[in-house]
């Protein structure tokens, strides 16, 4: 990829929250924002390097899914990435704008593991399932919100 083909991305918008233990960013529809999300998660994690890495990988996978498979990835779309710091856990939440096909929506589910080595993609939620202590999704009026919970007490 040449420098001319890399789009200039607007900076993500900060999510305004009432708590110092809740932070977030709102990103645009371009896949170039995935690297922005990775950097933001590592900087905002307030966690051990191992935990921050696991959260970074999970955020990357969830953000990629939101931008590839939902209306968040369409021109003008956006996704919200949040971190909620609790005494024993850190919660990562990625919220997209919902299914592109409202008549036949798809919902998050991990692919069978292990995947064939020659098949590209399809491992995102399986990785999240292996890295997080727990994950779930909710269908909301705004779209789909995926939460991944990470314990602070995991081995380093």
């Amino acid at each position: 990829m040449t420098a001319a083909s890399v789009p200039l991305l607007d900076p993500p918008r900060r999510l305004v929250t009432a708590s110092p233990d809740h932070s977030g960013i709102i990103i645009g529809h371009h896949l170039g924002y995935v690297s922005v999300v990775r950097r933001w998660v590592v900087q905002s994690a307030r966690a051990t390097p191992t935990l921050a890495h696991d959260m970074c990988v999970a955020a990357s996978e969830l953000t990629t899914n939101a931008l590839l498979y939902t209306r968040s990835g369409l021109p003008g779309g956006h996704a919200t990435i949040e971190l909620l710091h609790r005494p024993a856990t850190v919660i990562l939440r990625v919220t997209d704008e919902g299914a592109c096909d409202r008549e036949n929506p798809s919902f998050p589910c991990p692919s069978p593991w292990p995947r064939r080595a020659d098949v590209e993609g399809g491992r995102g939620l399986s990785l999240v399932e292996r890295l997080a202590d727990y994950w779930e999704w909710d269908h909301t009026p705004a779209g789909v919100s995926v939460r991944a919970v990470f314990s602070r007490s995991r081995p380093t």
Side-chain angles (χ1 to χ4, degrees):
M1 187 176 280
T2 67
S5 64
V6 177
L8 294 175
L9 301 175
D10 292 329
R13 292 179 287 150
R14 291 234 179 252
L15 186 66
V16 178
T17 65
S19 168
D21 292 327
H22 180 192
S23 59
I25 57 173
I26 301 168
I27 61 166
H29 71 277
H30 195 276
L31 281 171
Y33 280 107
V34 174
S35 62
V36 173
V37 168
R38 285 193 296 260
R39 281 191 304 274
W40 178 80
V41 166
V42 168
Q43 292 170 355
S44 304
R46 291 192 256 160
T48 65
T50 301
L51 180 55
H53 175 267
D54 290 353
M55 291 169 51
C56 175
V57 172
S60 180
E61 295 299 332
L62 294 176
T63 302
T64 299
N65 285 354
L67 297 178
L68 285 177
Y69 304 119
T70 75
R71 288 184 290 124
S72 292
L74 299 177
H78 70 277
T80 304
I81 296 81
E82 300 170 83
L83 289 176
L84 295 94
H85 298 274
R86 303 290 186 250
T89 62
V90 180
I91 301 167
L92 166 68
R93 182 167 52 211
V94 176
T95 303
D96 62 47
E97 294 186 62
C100 290
D101 183 354
R102 289 180 180 241
E103 298 298 318
N104 299 299
S106 62
F107 298 102
C109 76
S111 298
W113 195 272
R115 299 272 300 181
R116 288 183 22 205
D118 62 337
V119 175
E120 195 172 306
R123 295 173 180 83
L125 287 175
S126 295
L127 282 171
V128 172
E129 190 167 79
R130 286 175 172 248
L131 293 171
D133 294 290
Y134 172 79
W135 77 276
E136 66 182 2
W137 63 272
D138 272 329
H139 189 265
T140 69
V144 173
S145 185
V146 180
R147 287 182 344 131
V149 179
F150 297 84
S151 172
R152 291 185 181 277
S153 62
R154 62 177 48 200
T156 57

